[in-house]
């Protein structure tokens, strides 16, 4: 498995099909979200077949709001998201993104539970949607600047 960036003309029909398998939403709405996305990252099998994707439109300072995090139904429950989570989070931290937010419909109980297992927490409810978030930790090497200390020069008594 690997993650790559979206090639819209090549990928969009497969991405729309995956979302339609999982959610009750129109193909036009999905295409609109994809077109407006700041980033669409595709999850592929080693043979290049698309297994799922994640996309987000908004990046505000160190925060993103995820629109879709979805896997083809044939790949759900096989640990794919968990296995790719470190690579995705490293990608975000390299871009100085430390907070991930998403809206999840309250009826999407499987999605909510899956995200909780990945370290997300529910922070608020708006109508029939939960706002969930995850705070990514900076790597020690990212947050500290370490330099070798030298002995201070002695002051001369002239």
């Amino acid at each position: 498995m690997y993650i790559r960036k979206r090639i819209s003309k090549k990928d969009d029909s497969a991405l729309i099909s995956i979302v339609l398998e999982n959610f009750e939403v129109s193909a036009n709405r999905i295409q609109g979200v994809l077109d407006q996305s700041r980033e669409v990252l595709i999850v592929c099998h080693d043979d290049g077949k698309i297994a799922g994707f994640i996309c987000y439109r908004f990046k505000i300072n160190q925060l993103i709001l995820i629109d879709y995090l979805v896997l083809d139904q044939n790949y759900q429950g096989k640990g794919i998201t968990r296995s790719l989570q470190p690579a995705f989070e490293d990608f975000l931290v390299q871009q100085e993104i430390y907070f991930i937010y998403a809206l999840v419909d309250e009826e999407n109980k499987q999605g909510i539970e899956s995200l909780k297992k990945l370290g997300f927490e529910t922070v608020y409810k708006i109508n029939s949607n939960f706002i969930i978030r995850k705070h990514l930790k900076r790597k020690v090497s990212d947050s500290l600047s370490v330099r070798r200390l030298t002995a201070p020069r002695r002051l001369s008594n002239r």
Side-chain angles (χ1 to χ4, degrees), residues 38-86:
R38 179 182 183 97
E39 192 90 64
V40 180
L41 300 172
I42 311 294
V43 177
C44 294
H45 265 289
D46 292 334
D47 64 4
K49 185 173 181 187
I50 296 174
F53 71 100
I54 185 168
C55 70
Y56 58 92
R57 278 184 279 181
F58 302 107
K59 178 183 183 278
I60 304 165
N61 296 325
Q62 298 176 335
L63 175 151
I64 62 169
L65 177 63
I66 293 176
D67 287 300
Y68 288 116
L69 169 58
V70 62
L71 285 175
D72 184 299
Q73 289 181 350
N74 296 321
Y75 299 109
Q76 292 177 9
K78 298 184 179 186
I80 292 170
T81 304
R82 183 173 296 284
S83 69
L84 292 173
Q85 180 183 7

Side-chain angles (χ1 to χ4, degrees), residues 132-148:
I132 61 166
R133 77 169 170 214
K134 181 167 185 183
H135 178 215
L136 303 178
K137 304 294 183 200
R138 293 179 178 171
K139 294 178 185 175
V140 172
S141 60
D142 291 342
S143 61
L144 296 176
S145 177
V146 179
R147 64 183 176 94
R148 186 180 192 123

Side-chain angles (χ1 to χ4, degrees), residues 74-153:
N74 296 321
Y75 299 109
Q76 292 177 9
K78 298 184 179 186
I80 292 170
T81 304
R82 183 173 296 284
S83 69
L84 292 173
Q85 180 183 7
F88 175 65
E89 290 180 3
D90 285 347
F91 173 81
L92 293 176
V93 168
Q94 287 172 10
Q95 296 183 57
E96 298 183 354
I97 296 169
Y98 301 103
F99 300 93
I100 305 171
Y101 282 81
L103 292 173
V104 182
D105 190 285
E106 69 184 345
E107 293 181 15
N108 186 358
K109 296 186 186 321
Q110 178 185 357
I112 293 167
E113 287 306 311
S114 295
L115 290 167
K116 283 183 177 180
K117 289 178 185 176
L118 295 173
F120 285 81
E121 62 180 337
T122 302
V123 292
Y124 198 73
K125 185 176 180 189
I126 299 174
N127 299 324
S128 65
N129 291 294
F130 288 106
I131 297 176
I132 61 166
R133 77 169 170 214
K134 181 167 185 183
H135 178 215
L136 303 178
K137 304 294 183 200
R138 293 179 178 171
K139 294 178 185 175
V140 172
S141 60
D142 291 342
S143 61
L144 296 176
S145 177
V146 179
R147 64 183 176 94
R148 186 180 192 123
L149 295 177
T150 58
R153 294 183 184 179

Side-chain angles (χ1 to χ4, degrees), residues 6 8 12 30-38 40 57:
R6 164 185 171 229
S8 59
D12 284 6
I30 300 163
Q31 186 66 61
V33 169
L34 292 171
D35 290 343
Q36 294 175 12
S37 291
R38 179 182 183 97
V40 180
R57 278 184 279 181

